[in-house]
Amino acid sequence: MLLAENFDINTAKGLSEAEAAELLKDVGYNELPSAKPRSVFAIAFEVAKAPMFLLLVAGGLVYLLLGDLQEALMLMGFVLVIMGITFYQERKTERALESLRDLSSPRALVIRDGEENRIAGRDVVPGDLIVLAEGDRVPADAVLLSCTNLSADESLLTGESVSVRKVCSESTEKLSVISRPGGDDLPFVYSGSLIVQGQGVAVARATGISTEIGKIGRALQKVESEGTALQKETNLLVRNLAILGLSLCLLVVIAYGMTRDNWLEGFLAGITMAMAVLPEEFPVVLTVFLALGAWRISQSNVLTRRVPAVETLGSATVLCVDKTGTLTMNRMKVKKIFARGEFFGLDDGRDRLPEAIHEVIEFSILASQIDPFDPMEKAFKKLGEDYLAKTEHIHMDWELLKEYPLSIKLLAMSRVWRLPSGKEYVIASKGAPEAITELCHFDLNGQMELSRAVQTMAQEGMRVLGVATASFQEINLPDGQHDFEFEFLGLIGMEDPVRPGVPEAIKECYSAGIRVVMITGDYPGTAQAIARQIGLPTDRIITGPELEMLSDQELKEQVRNVCIFSRVMPEQKLRLVQALKANEEIVTMTGDGVNDAPALKAANIGIAMGNRGTDVAREAASLVLLDDDFSSIVKAVRLGRRIFDNIKKAMAYILAIHVPIAGMSLIPVLLEWPLIFFPIQVVFLELIIDPACSIAFEAEPEEADVMNRSPRDPNGPLFNRRTLGLSFLQGLSVLIIVLAVFAVSLYRGQGEAEARTLTYVTLIIANLGLILTNRSWSRTIWETMSTPNPALWWVIGGALAFLALAIYVPFIRELFGFAYLQFIDIAICFMAGIASIIWFEGLKVINRSKDLSLK
């Protein structure tokens, strides 16, 4: 046992209850403060300022004025959905901090007034003596005064999968300063870390927000989530269109009232114009597409916590990956054994092990705990259970007599076993290769040979331990391990294995133009070995200390080309994400530990592991992988790109169809023609437009090249000039055709009702043509017919059925102001409607021919 200067655990008194109570008043509870939640009214006020909200409310009021309660209630329902989503976002930060507080405040065993007492972790104060044992969660940052074989899992703070060895402080002068987590042989333990082996006593030095985990909480509290580019662009677009619509509405009211001296009908015409122009479908499309997209992604075992991330995922340009538990399994596995001068690989699927390594495995198990908690010792035990369970190498009847712990001077531990005869003792030892070499008294040649073997295994990213054995027949066991005559048995190389499917998933990321960056707290050699296995470039690597020396500008330049960052601290992960975002990258960050939470929240898309991930990581993330399968990220990217493509198609269609509706509402007023549209006709059109853009386009399958093209330009608009131009031309061609039908009908004297009916039927047919042609901008309507989309045919069938009712059922026909049409009239309308979109089909064929000629 290692003891700090002048410390005796048997006489330790610790703080008195009175002292602890006084300190608790001064420093506060050992927990993280919750983010102060805003009131419901404050959140509602912020939502009410958003253009989407104002547009939905305005649309609802228009429908209320028209007496259409059902449509008004539908729009108001979407208002409640948006408010609910925003309120959910505001609660995310609070829940993340609550998870941090729960994790950092376990039950604690402390010494007060000379007696051991188990208290709530939140009541621990600086100066408390904390008793630690295997399986305990450390309640505060503390300095070790006493320890025996103590190891701690600090992966939640550092990302390093291997537990770290602890020693006690040698001097009271060191007790006032706590260094950063990570690395062996430090006398510090940290709040939230887990004791995986041994026992000890520590004095608390930092609690609550002053701990390392508290610093992560503070960083998380400061990080603000950003709205997506699509949200910002859509907000701007609907605002501008809303202003245009209201302006045209006033123009129609004034023009109609002044030219025809009928202000009541002018107001009705203005309402119709507003309904025709106001694109209330835009917020509906975003809400429905992203909500249904989240549902579709959940079918691939990806839970959506932040709905806008569904679309953003499809435009990701950089994927930052935490190695431990994300690329790897976060468990140790024996990969290779060196024995009798040879290397033996332990690949999966092996029926039996070579006889030469049986002893190495046997004594590695004997040198470990009977029921191990340490990941490495678990790996030894599993290997024995899998291959040596019914052999003479497993000794259930041997009695453990004594244990020699490792120390700073000798990084090896030995366990003494008594054989059933009671007269013989067998000693099993494991530890650092150089320590085992020292115990076995190797000569120089032997040391060099062993060093080469260790180096070979270390270059492959393995953690290497040596194993030795000795026998003893005397009754009195010696005081130290050096007094035994040890025989070297071999070296064991362990690794944290790569998850199945990761290399293929990363390869697909590259084909999709997504750069993968590994950010880990592990050592450079280990990180490079994993990178080689999964297909990442290994020519350049930056460590945490090197990163610390870089300015923000230098880091911004370096992150353009480096794909591996090792020995990285939590706040450095956040800094890396911010540097990538400064380069205008769309950053996706994956992780599972507390240390990942700030970076997960700061990234454009944070993805947490569901099974192995902490509550903190899950709460801070946008998406959660329910099966912890890295390949699910690729499926999510594929779906994200499909969702964005379909949003673009739907919005292009919305823009196109509103051109003829708005035009046919405005032009008759300016030319003093009879009104074509009344509110009820526009409402009927909306009954086609709304399900078409929110259901039919959402269900459209992905394009063939969805994962063989680069991510869209993060700064590129949803509607570039080409998209806007083509959408406007589509709408303009429909407007010209339907305007021509109306003008010819009036010219021929067919009457106002019949002209309106012919024009309206032509517009409905053209509308259905726009839906079909916008299914794909690269394939013709005929080619897309082979792609299944049941929702589309329900929309088209429903529209034609309602149209038939409106023309041939007298009561409905009178309500719409329509006239009865003959079959020849329907055929003419059908041909005219198809003619309005035929040019776009020809353009697709021409563009495809050009692309083929370039290839």
Side-chain angles (χ1 to χ4, degrees):
M1 180 175 290
L2 300 172
L3 297 177
E5 183 182 5
N6 300 325
F7 178 77
D8 185 350
I9 191 172
N10 298 313
T11 60
K13 296 293 184 183
L15 298 174
S16 67
E17 290 292 346
E19 290 173 329
E22 191 65 30
L23 280 168
L24 194 60
K25 289 181 182 179
D26 292 340
V27 300
Y29 286 111
N30 179 30
E31 60 187 13
L32 299 179
S34 298
K36 186 178 180 181
R38 286 182 292 170
S39 68
V40 175
F41 297 105
I43 296 173
F45 179 71
E46 288 198 9
V47 175
K49 294 189 298 183
M52 278 191 185
F53 178 89
L54 295 174
L55 188 59
L56 284 171
V57 171
L61 291 175
V62 168
Y63 283 120
L64 281 176
L65 291 173
L66 293 169
D68 193 336
L69 184 62
Q70 182 178 358
E71 196 77 12
L73 289 176
M74 184 186 74
L75 286 180
M76 290 304 179
F78 281 110
V79 168
L80 294 177
V81 168
I82 289 177
M83 290 189 70
I85 291 172
T86 306
F87 186 77
Y88 165 77
Q89 294 298 326
E90 298 302 324
R91 285 283 297 161
K92 277 179 63 178
T93 298
E94 185 179 358
R95 284 200 300 271
L97 289 168
E98 285 172 357
S99 296
L100 269 173
R101 186 172 65 249
D102 292 342
L103 181 62
S104 62
S105 187
R107 301 289 293 177
L109 184 62
V110 299
I111 299 175
R112 287 184 180 174
D113 292 319
E115 295 182 2
E116 291 186 358
N117 185 20
R118 191 165 292 278
I119 63 173
R122 70 195 299 264
D123 293 332
V124 172
V125 296
D128 260 328
L129 292 180
I130 306 168
V131 180
L132 301 170
E134 192 172 288
D136 285 348
R137 186 74 67 177
V138 180
D141 287 5
V143 180
L144 284 165
L145 302 178
S146 166
C147 64
T148 303
N149 262 1
L150 192 71
S151 295
D153 178 359
E154 296 176 354
S155 61
L156 293 182
L157 292 165
T158 65
E160 187 176 341
S161 56
V162 179
S163 58
V164 291
R165 184 174 58 248
K166 298 295 181 181
V167 297
C168 73
S169 180
E170 297 178 341
S171 171
T172 55
E173 294 177 0
K174 299 181 181 180
L175 298 183
S176 59
V177 180
I178 293 196
S179 71
R180 304 304 305 277
D184 288 320
D185 301 328
L186 293 175
F188 311 113
V189 287
Y190 302 92
S191 178
S193 61
L194 185 68
I195 303 300
V196 298
Q197 186 178 26
Q199 55 196 18
V201 177
V203 58
R205 282 291 178 252
T207 59
I209 205 166
S210 299
T211 62
E212 289 296 318
I213 201 171
K215 294 173 184 176
I216 296 174
R218 281 186 295 187
L220 184 60
Q221 198 171 10
K222 294 176 183 176
V223 177
E224 295 291 336
S225 297
E226 295 182 359
T228 67
L230 182 59
Q231 284 178 310
K232 296 172 183 176
E233 187 177 348
T234 305
N235 279 337
L236 182 63
L237 180 63
V238 296
R239 187 195 68 186
N240 293 340
L241 288 177
I243 294 171
L244 175 63
L246 292 174
S247 301
L248 290 176
C249 174
L250 289 174
L251 175 64
V252 166
V253 171
I254 295 171
Y256 197 100
M258 292 182 68
T259 57
R260 309 189 190 193
D261 198 27
N262 190 331
W263 291 96
L264 184 60
E265 287 190 10
F267 181 72
L268 184 62
I271 290 292
T272 305
M273 184 70 203
M275 291 177 61
V277 176
L278 288 179
E280 71 272 14
E281 298 90 357
F282 280 114
V284 171
V285 163
L286 274 187
T287 302
V288 172
F289 272 52
L290 297 182
L292 289 178
W295 174 79
R296 291 186 187 280
I297 286 180
S298 72
Q299 304 304 299
S300 299
N301 290 311
V302 180
L303 173 67
T304 304
R305 297 193 59 84
R306 181 170 166 255
V307 174
V310 171
E311 172 272 323
T312 312
L313 190 62
S315 59
T317 58
V318 175
L319 175 56
C320 296
V321 190
D322 180 60
K323 178 187 71 66
T324 304
T326 307
L327 296 174
T328 65
M329 301 290 289
N330 196 23
R331 61 175 174 82
M332 299 306 293
K333 175 185 175 183
V334 178
K335 179 68 174 177
K336 186 175 286 188
I337 292 179
F338 176 78
R340 301 181 185 179
E342 294 183 54
F343 287 104
F344 298 89
L346 275 65
D347 299 321
D348 293 330
R350 180 187 289 270
D351 294 329
R352 58 189 180 87
L353 298 177
E355 186 67 33
I357 65 174
H358 283 194
E359 270 194 321
V360 180
I361 300 170
E362 172 188 356
F363 282 90
S364 69
I365 295 171
L366 288 173
S368 304
Q369 298 290 328
I370 296 172
D371 186 16
F373 201 81
D374 182 82
M376 289 184 290
E377 294 187 348
K378 281 183 177 180
F380 300 151
K381 184 178 182 181
K382 186 178 187 308
L383 190 61
E385 289 173 345
D386 289 346
Y387 295 104
L388 305 178
K390 297 181 180 179
T391 69
E392 71 277 10
H393 297 286
I394 302 298
H395 309 284
M396 304 300 295
D397 55 345
W398 286 16
E399 179 188 357
L400 179 64
L401 199 63
K402 185 175 180 178
E403 181 175 316
Y404 293 91
L406 55 79
S407 65
I408 296 178
K409 295 180 180 178
L410 184 65
L411 298 177
M413 60 173 293
S414 300
R415 308 185 90 205
V416 181
W417 296 87
R418 181 158 53 194
L419 274 58
S421 64
K423 296 181 180 179
E424 280 189 88
Y425 303 93
V426 169
I427 299 90
S429 181
K430 65 177 173 63
E434 57 272 20
I436 297 298
T437 301
E438 183 181 340
L439 287 176
C440 295
H441 306 294
F442 272 33
D443 59 20
L444 184 59
N445 290 333
Q447 290 178 24
M448 292 178 63
E449 180 184 352
L450 196 65
S451 178
R452 285 193 292 269
V454 170
Q455 189 66 23
T456 299
M457 299 170 86
Q459 286 176 350
E460 297 179 30
M462 299 182 198
R463 173 113 177 194
V464 185
L465 290 181
V467 180
T469 183
S471 58
F472 196 74
Q473 293 186 341
E474 296 181 23
I475 297 176
N476 297 321
L477 293 172
D479 294 331
Q481 300 178 70
H482 279 288
D483 295 319
F484 296 110
E485 294 292 331
F486 279 103
E487 174 191 353
F488 177 75
L489 295 178
L491 300 172
I492 298 181
M494 288 164 292
E495 69 170 5
D496 186 1
V498 170
R499 287 183 177 276
V502 167
E504 294 78 10
I506 288 184
K507 184 177 180 182
E508 192 163 3
C509 284
Y510 279 123
S511 71
I514 303 171
R515 185 163 68 97
V516 181
V517 176
M518 183 196 297
I519 303 176
T520 178
D522 222 329
Y523 291 95
T526 306
Q528 284 180 307
I530 295 295
R532 282 192 291 269
Q533 292 180 51
I534 62 177
L536 285 183
T538 59
D539 52 333
R540 294 191 63 196
I541 184 169
I542 292 180
T543 64
E546 292 170 346
L547 191 152
E548 192 71 28
M549 303 297 293
L550 297 175
S551 67
D552 289 344
Q553 184 60 38
E554 290 171 333
L555 181 59
K556 182 181 173 182
E557 295 299 321
Q558 293 287 343
V559 295
R560 296 181 190 275
N561 304 307
V562 179
C563 291
I564 305 175
F565 294 87
S566 68
R567 303 303 290 166
V568 174
M569 299 303 293
E571 64 271 19
Q572 292 177 326
K573 291 187 178 185
L574 177 59
R575 193 177 167 214
L576 282 169
V577 169
Q578 291 169 336
L580 287 164
K581 289 174 72 175
N583 286 330
E584 299 184 345
E585 304 278 9
I586 301 297
V587 183
T588 300
M589 171 76 186
T590 69
D592 63 348
V594 174
N595 61 313
D596 299 321
L600 286 173
K601 189 175 180 183
N604 298 98
I605 314 106
I607 305 178
M609 298 295 145
N611 289 334
R612 296 183 179 272
T614 61
D615 287 343
V616 182
R618 285 192 290 267
E619 293 292 341
S622 306
L623 304 173
V624 178
L625 297 186
L626 298 178
D627 58 357
D628 285 8
D629 187 350
F630 184 81
S631 61
S632 296
I633 296 176
V634 179
K635 296 177 185 176
V637 169
R638 180 186 296 271
L639 281 168
R641 292 190 173 190
R642 166 189 164 180
I643 290 164
F644 178 79
D645 285 350
N646 289 346
I647 287 175
K648 192 171 182 179
K649 294 173 186 176
M651 291 193 173
Y653 158 73
I654 292 169
L655 283 177
I657 192 58
H658 274 85
V659 171
I661 296 175
M664 295 304 288
S665 298
L666 178 63
I667 292 173
V669 174
L670 298 180
L671 298 181
E672 298 188 30
W673 288 356
L675 292 180
I676 300 174
F677 293 147
F678 294 107
I680 191 169
Q681 281 108 6
V682 178
V683 169
F684 179 73
L685 278 169
E686 295 294 336
L687 290 176
I688 302 173
I689 296 170
D690 285 351
C693 62
S694 62
I695 298 175
F697 280 109
E698 192 283 327
E700 193 65 28
E702 66 198 38
E703 299 281 355
D705 66 340
V706 70
M707 288 299 284
N708 292 316
R709 61 181 189 235
S710 298
R712 67 183 181 92
D713 183 2
N715 297 318
L718 173 65
F719 295 111
N720 54 31
R721 289 183 179 179
R722 179 175 181 271
T723 305
L724 279 173
L726 288 175
S727 294
F728 180 76
L729 286 175
Q730 285 181 3
L732 184 62
S733 64
V734 172
L735 174 60
I736 292 171
I737 292 292
V738 296
L739 193 62
V741 169
F742 187 68
V744 170
S745 300
L746 289 178
Y747 179 76
R748 292 179 59 191
Q750 289 179 273
E752 183 181 320
E754 188 173 351
R756 178 182 297 112
T757 309
L758 288 168
T759 304
Y760 198 80
V761 172
T762 303
L763 180 59
I764 294 295
I765 299 299
N767 182 16
L768 297 180
L770 284 175
I771 295 173
L772 292 173
T773 197
N774 279 289
R775 288 184 70 190
S776 174
W777 280 26
S778 59
R779 294 179 296 156
T780 62
I781 293 177
W782 181 256
E783 290 168 332
T784 58
M785 289 296 180
S786 60
T787 304
N789 188 342
L792 172 68
W793 301 113
W794 278 106
V795 170
I796 292 176
L800 294 176
F802 276 117
L803 184 60
L805 291 173
I807 296 174
Y808 297 111
V809 175
F811 168 72
I812 302 177
R813 183 170 66 240
E814 185 177 343
L815 187 66
F816 274 78
F818 286 162
Y820 186 90
L821 294 182
Q822 301 294 332
F823 176 77
I824 187 64
D825 297 322
I826 298 292
I828 291 172
C829 293
F830 180 81
M831 297 301 295
I834 294 299
S836 67
I837 53 98
I838 198 69
W839 68 271
F840 190 63
E841 292 295 293
L843 183 64
K844 293 179 187 178
V845 176
I846 293 171
N847 286 338
R848 189 162 53 194
S849 299
K850 287 181 179 179
D851 292 340
L852 288 174
S853 64
L854 289 173
K855 291 179 180 179

